Amino acid sequence: MDESGEGQGRRPETLIRQELMEVVAKVEASPGYQSDRQRQEQVLSKVVGDNIIEELRGFLLAAQIEDDEFKKIKGEQNFEMDRESRLRGEIFERLVRAEFAQGTPLEEELTTLFHEPARFGLKEQVGKALRNPDLAFVELDEQTHVVRIYGAGEAKLGKLGKQVFKQLSEGGFKRGMLVIAEVVNETKDLDEHGLGVLARAGRLELDEHMKTTLVVPADRDENDLSSFIREGQFTKPKLQEFRELLENREKVEILKSSFGIKEVVAMTDLIMKKIDAVG
């Protein structure tokens, strides 16, 4: 029992949010980076709910099942999932969504469809080749009943490798969104699939100038692309192509999260301890 009375009467999410801010405050800042504590608190207030520990525990359990199935398919029995790495990525994605997502029912339903087509009975129609963005930027024209997808966003805590290059390239998110738009537009009973918001909104269309937004940690140096890219994964021509893509602001916009890498690592360590304590 807390005899000092500290924390009594506070909601669980308030205590966890306070603990997270305390561990963040103890992190030694990277050179040239200064945290915006007020902004960080605002973002955490959107991320940390009553069941945050159970939600993230559930995420790890689901990720383990997914990895076990992958091992059976690929025959890679020696592969072990890096729980800390997977959890860091999930936490950073949640922070980015809280900070940059439009947060409308339309955007949320569309983003869920990107990630979980099976949930809506559309896995077969969507297929397996879909590259799923973490964010979708949409605009509804209520007169024409057209939903224009003008952007996709991806949160990346670590350095960028081949997979991200494919996602940001022409055949990545754009192709996946074209598939989704086609499936939605051709499905007549969206309500019965649980896509009521999309059913009422209208037809999906991709903006011809659709831009991809890349959200990186606050302490990444956007002027030093070597700090962004896993250069060893690329041939020299492909590396140059990737660098040119990241420098093209008409195609790729780079935004910074309010949290640095070390701060996300510190929060992950705390949350992992709480998850392990649950068992």
Side-chain angles (χ1 to χ4, degrees), residues 184-251:
V184 168
N185 293 337
E186 292 181 356
T187 302
K188 305 303 181 184
D189 53 348
L190 290 172
D191 270 317
E192 294 182 16
H193 285 272
L195 295 168
V197 179
L198 282 168
R200 292 187 294 275
R203 182 177 179 80
L204 280 183
E205 291 185 2
L206 258 67
D207 191 300
E208 60 178 327
H209 302 298
M210 193 190 91
K211 181 183 289 189
T212 300
T213 298
L214 183 65
V215 186
V216 299
D219 47 0
R220 283 267 187 240
D221 182 358
E222 67 269 33
N223 296 314
D224 178 15
L225 291 181
S226 296
S227 72
F228 276 67
I229 304 173
R230 296 186 186 277
E231 296 185 343
Q233 292 189 5
F234 297 89
T235 62
K236 285 186 177 180
K238 283 296 181 184
L239 178 59
Q240 183 59 30
E241 187 179 343
F242 195 12
R243 292 176 70 93
E244 290 174 358
L245 177 61
L246 292 175
E247 289 171 346
N248 187 338
R249 291 297 178 264
E250 291 185 0
K251 291 186 176 180

Side-chain angles (χ1 to χ4, degrees), residues 106 138-141 145-149 201-205:
L106 177 59
V138 299
E139 185 176 70
L140 171 62
D141 187 325
H145 296 285
V146 169
V147 178
R148 183 175 64 91
I149 304 175
R203 182 177 179 80
L204 280 183
E205 291 185 2

Side-chain angles (χ1 to χ4, degrees), residues 102-115:
Q102 291 175 318
T104 65
L106 177 59
E107 179 269 337
E108 290 176 356
E109 187 169 276
L110 188 58
T111 304
T112 304
L113 175 59
F114 291 153
H115 286 267

Side-chain angles (χ1 to χ4, degrees), residues 6 129 259:
E6 183 178 352
F259 294 87

